[in-house]
Amino acid sequence: MNGTDGVDMPEGMNELRSRMNGISAWRNHRLEWIETTGSTNEDLKAAGDMRFLVAGHQTAGRGQRGRVWTSVPGAGVLFSFTWIWPDIDSAWKIPLRAGLAVRSALLPFAGGGDRLWLKWPNDICLGSGKVGGILIESTVRAGLLHLVVGIGINLRVPGRLADDGAGPGMRAASLDECREPADAVNRWTVLGEFVRTWAEWIERPASGGDALISAYIEAARPFWGRSVCVVLGDGGTVEGRAITLAPGGALEICEKNGGRRFVTDARRLTLVGE
Ligand code: BTN
């Protein structure tokens, strides 16, 4: 692995490092680059310190719920970082804030905000496809949540979640759908935006629950009213229309019989009929 002092350090690392130095939330993170690894989340799993690891390629990239995140070398932004969340009771806010932060970071590259939206809880979608995913893994140590936040964003040739046979997933989208090839998006530029937007979203006041819910509802606008099938943590399913995000971060679904369900523990969410 090559850290910021490594001989093979990519261009762009220095710029990112100086951006991070200018944001207090990132100042203590060690920025590292690895050309190829299995999974950046796996690499940071045992980390006891603050690290931010960017990879050129992953051979065993992980998605949510044990799925696979595949990508083509150099075609995506693949990174993980450690983070400490002090308040376990408000952990439901983490995936929402993470989704909002990634969406905000991608706005300048997506040709306008309307096409970029969140699919609950934190898939980042571009038009009719998924352009980015977030995998947050946590452990409790001394009453604090120690997170590894892993993010994959498709720049060019799309990475995708392997279909696990549980139904059709979304098509994979990539940022280059919004741009001319000559105007290709650079991973370091995206990361430079991300460190800024993450600090903004994660550091909003803890009392900002309502504001968070409202911001999320707005950022997920194309999702509301869509037909969804949700596989719950206990294996049961809920089918209906996604209505809104309820206080506490639950997804409110209107079932076919008109009943309301509030879902917090989705194992899988599929858009039906797309
Ligand atoms: C999902 O949508 O299921 C989450 C995908 C998360 C992929 C990223 S790529 C960088 C980091 N390392 C991993 O192994 N996974 C995450």
Side-chain angles (χ1 to χ4, degrees):
M1 185 185 300
N2 300 303
T4 44
D5 300 327
V7 282
D8 297 329
M9 192 177 79
E11 280 179 42
M13 284 269 283
N14 278 337
E15 173 67 23
L16 181 59
R17 178 70 267 171
S18 54
R19 270 195 174 239
M20 290 169 82
N21 288 344
I23 302 171
S24 58
W26 290 114
R27 228 163 265 155
N28 295 327
H29 277 75
R30 187 147 55 99
L31 174 62
E32 296 164 310
W33 160 258
I34 187 163
E35 188 68 51
T36 301
T37 187
S39 154
T40 53
N41 263 49
E42 187 64 30
D43 291 342
L44 296 194
K45 213 167 67 175
D49 51 354
M50 305 309 279
R51 291 170 63 187
F52 189 109
L53 175 61
V54 187
H57 180 47
Q58 291 183 138
T59 53
R62 301 208 311 250
Q64 294 160 23
R65 306 283 175 187
R67 281 176 277 161
V68 175
W69 180 268
T70 55
S71 53
V72 170
V77 189
L78 309 170
F79 64 106
S80 300
F81 55 91
T82 53
W83 198 264
I84 294 176
W85 184 265
D87 172 25
I88 295 179
D89 290 343
S90 65
W92 60 271
K93 294 178 182 170
I94 301 168
L96 307 180
R97 289 185 186 222
L100 285 161
V102 176
R103 178 177 178 272
S104 298
L106 299 188
L107 283 175
F109 311 104
D114 290 351
R115 297 195 63 217
L116 199 58
W117 54 283
L118 295 174
K119 176 160 89 64
W120 185 84
N122 60 13
D123 285 344
I124 298 95
C125 301
L126 181 66
S128 61
K130 173 167 167 171
V131 73
I134 304 174
L135 174 64
I136 302 173
E137 298 177 292
S138 62
T139 49
V140 180
R141 287 180 233 156
L144 302 174
L145 267 183
H146 287 250
L147 311 176
V148 175
V149 181
I151 299 174
I153 298 159
N154 302 325
L155 287 180
R156 284 175 285 282
V157 183
R160 63 183 292 273
L161 284 176
D163 192 338
D164 61 6
M170 288 184 97
R171 83 179 173 90
S174 57
L175 287 181
D176 70 352
E177 291 173 23
C178 306
R179 311 173 78 85
E180 297 299 321
D183 202 11
V185 185
N186 175 295
R187 75 157 66 83
W188 303 103
T189 318
V190 174
L191 288 167
E193 280 297 304
F194 173 77
V195 292
R196 184 178 63 76
T197 58
W198 174 266
E200 268 176 28
W201 278 105
I202 214 70
E203 290 186 336
R204 296 216 170 178
S207 60
D210 290 348
L212 175 66
I213 298 281
S214 309
Y216 188 92
I217 290 172
E218 178 61 23
R221 214 164 356 133
F223 180 58
W224 310 122
R226 302 280 269 266
S227 294
V228 296
C229 175
V230 183
V231 180
L232 303 173
D234 65 5
T237 56
V238 180
E239 284 187 52
R241 285 191 185 280
I243 298 298
T244 193
L245 189 71
L251 174 64
E252 182 176 348
I253 295 176
C254 177
E255 292 182 290
K256 285 185 184 133
N257 63 9
R260 297 291 157 123
R261 289 284 292 268
F262 294 87
V263 172
T264 51
D265 64 337
R267 187 188 297 170
R268 181 186 174 94
L269 185 150
T270 309
L271 295 177
V272 178
E274 324 225 348

